[in-house]
Amino acid sequence: MVGMNPEDQRRHLLFWGESMDPRIEPAIYAVTVMTFGATSSPGSAHFVKNTNAERFAEQFPRAVECIKHVNYVDDMLASVQIKEEAIRLVEEVRFIHQQGGFETRNWLSSSRQVLESLKEKSREDSRMLTDLSTEKVLGMWWDTTVDDFTYRLNTELDEALLSAERWPTKREILRTLR
């Protein structure tokens, strides 16, 4: 939970009244933590995530780089060559997020060794996929057994488009991807 500065809390007030009588003043409550779903929440969360990570730039430069540049909302997609490096990176990212009050729970890897290491160090309610599988990641499908990314196509398109009788619009191209 991301706390709000006291001076910002006045911009997020809730008025609660038990009665519809206009003579009775409603109770006024200030929101003290960032509201999920508010228009400002994604930008605020991104700022807090990056500010928290910056504190560890000297200690964990690779993890901070991943948090700042390959972390999108609550997904992070990073690639390393060595399994031990992947395990170290996950531990560092998890530690940095914990220092900001964020809990990282879901991890996936194309390496069974990395998955087993993560499973040993995770909490019980964490989602550790111990079987290599296909998962949706940032709008793509990741087949962890062969470490490939693919797209799934929507085949419910009109025949003129499929037979190339007409050119698709940008919207139609994007709509074909699932």
Side-chain angles (χ1 to χ4, degrees):
M1 292 175 41
V2 177
M4 283 192 199
N5 292 326
E7 62 270 16
D8 293 331
Q9 293 174 8
R10 294 204 37 82
R11 292 171 181 81
H12 298 270
L13 298 177
L14 297 173
F15 296 88
W16 187 264
E18 294 291 327
S19 170
M20 296 301 288
D21 187 343
R23 295 171 290 175
I24 300 174
E25 292 287 321
I28 301 173
Y29 297 96
V31 177
T32 60
V33 294
M34 188 171 60
T35 305
F36 181 76
T39 304
S40 60
S41 294
S44 297
H46 185 73
F47 174 79
V48 170
K49 170 189 67 82
N50 288 349
T51 301
N52 177 60
E54 272 300 318
R55 300 183 306 152
F56 301 94
E58 287 185 30
Q59 190 177 2
F60 305 116
R62 173 75 165 113
V64 169
E65 172 142 344
C66 282
I67 290 169
K68 290 178 67 180
H69 301 291
V70 298
N71 206 160
Y72 177 73
V73 186
D74 58 354
D75 288 331
M76 186 178 90
L77 185 59
S79 178
V80 295
Q81 294 295 317
I82 302 167
K83 293 171 184 158
E84 292 76 21
E85 184 181 354
I87 294 167
R88 186 175 54 254
L89 181 61
V90 166
E91 289 171 354
E92 292 173 0
V93 166
R94 185 182 278 159
F95 172 79
I96 291 169
H97 282 322
Q98 283 174 345
Q99 301 315 299
F102 302 107
E103 183 180 346
T104 310
R105 300 187 340 196
N106 300 335
W107 296 95
L108 182 61
S109 173
S110 58
S111 163
R112 194 170 297 284
Q113 178 185 346
V114 172
L115 287 173
E116 289 303 320
S117 172
L118 296 175
K119 185 177 178 184
E120 291 170 13
K121 297 173 184 170
S122 70
R123 293 184 30 190
E124 280 185 29
D125 62 345
S126 294
R127 180 176 160 244
M128 288 293 134
L129 298 175
T130 53
D131 293 325
L132 298 177
S133 62
T134 301
E135 288 289 319
K136 193 164 187 180
V137 178
L138 297 174
M140 301 173 287
W141 289 92
W142 179 24
D143 184 344
T144 59
T145 56
V146 293
D147 205 14
D148 280 342
F149 288 97
T150 60
Y151 292 96
R152 294 195 179 160
L153 298 178
N154 179 1
T155 58
E156 299 170 5
L157 299 171
D158 67 48
E159 288 298 317
L161 188 62
L162 290 173
S163 65
E165 291 176 22
R166 69 176 181 85
W167 289 96
T169 64
K170 290 177 190 175
R171 179 171 287 182
E172 287 172 323
I173 291 171
L174 291 173
R175 194 173 43 221
T176 62
L177 302 177
R178 292 192 215 198

